[in-house]
Amino acid sequence: MAKPQEKVSFVERLKQIGQVFAFTAKQDKWFVPLVVAAVALPVALTVLVVLLTGGYLWIPIGILVTALAVLIVLNTRSNTAMMNVAEGQPGAAASLMENMRGDWRVRPAASSTTQFDMVHVVIGRPGVILLAEGNPQRVRSLLGQEKKRLAKVIGNAPIYDYVIGTEEGQLPVRKLRTTMLRLPRNLTGKDVNALDKRLGALMARPQMPKGAIPKSMRPSKGAFRQQRPR
């Protein structure tokens, strides 16, 4: 049985908001001025309306509007700050995809090298999506190898590939989410489940290392001889 999701207390939620606030303020120089403006403008309007109308019922409305404005600024600027920090970090694309809303099946670093070049395989309603991170020349080779391997099981499912980066022709991390959401929905939920199972079976198979087999791993000459009956 699945464990019930633990509820976060109000105090813990405030601590989380405080951590996000501190992180964003450290990374974004415009965050604090925008928060000040988000507080000052609604408060000034609320005071003006109360003085003109004499209706004190506008005070709680002003408080709610102020809190909403601060949360909007916090959400937008914290996302921007997180994207700036994630830019260039190995595995950032897979981490963002795993935290995206929707049915995305992510297999981080399905192919990789010792130089931290990697190709993540994502399955979703658009089809199969390959996200490559690392040296552009090396990851292109990895993408080609991964496409050949996946072609055995994906059938007619569409396949998309992107190289994550900031150079021309690459996909910046900050645009990953919007790019994924704009892809057409080519598969049904049933198709995604079936494709996920086939890819899971493919990736579960051990791959033989390329190149010559070391002598220590070679079987002895008599390993496959049948013993003669006496």
Side-chain angles (χ1 to χ4, degrees), residues 90-166:
S95 178
L96 291 174
M97 290 300 304
E98 288 176 336
N99 290 282
M100 273 185 57
R101 294 182 180 180
D103 187 10
W104 303 97
R105 321 287 176 88
V106 184
R107 289 179 169 83
S111 298
S112 60
T113 67
T114 56
Q115 290 84 14
F116 295 101
D117 307 309
M118 59 192 73
V119 175
H120 315 296
V121 178
V122 182
I123 308 170
R125 297 291 294 274
V128 180
I129 305 164
L130 303 181
L131 303 175
E133 294 184 273
N135 182 275
Q137 296 180 352
R138 292 194 297 261
V139 295
R140 287 294 181 187
S141 177
L142 278 180
L143 280 174
Q145 296 174 10
E146 195 63 25
K147 284 182 179 180
K148 291 180 180 179
R149 186 163 75 111
L150 298 181
K152 304 175 183 178
V153 295
I154 65 174
N156 296 324
I159 184 168
Y160 304 87
D161 63 276
Y162 301 92
V163 176
I164 305 299
T166 57

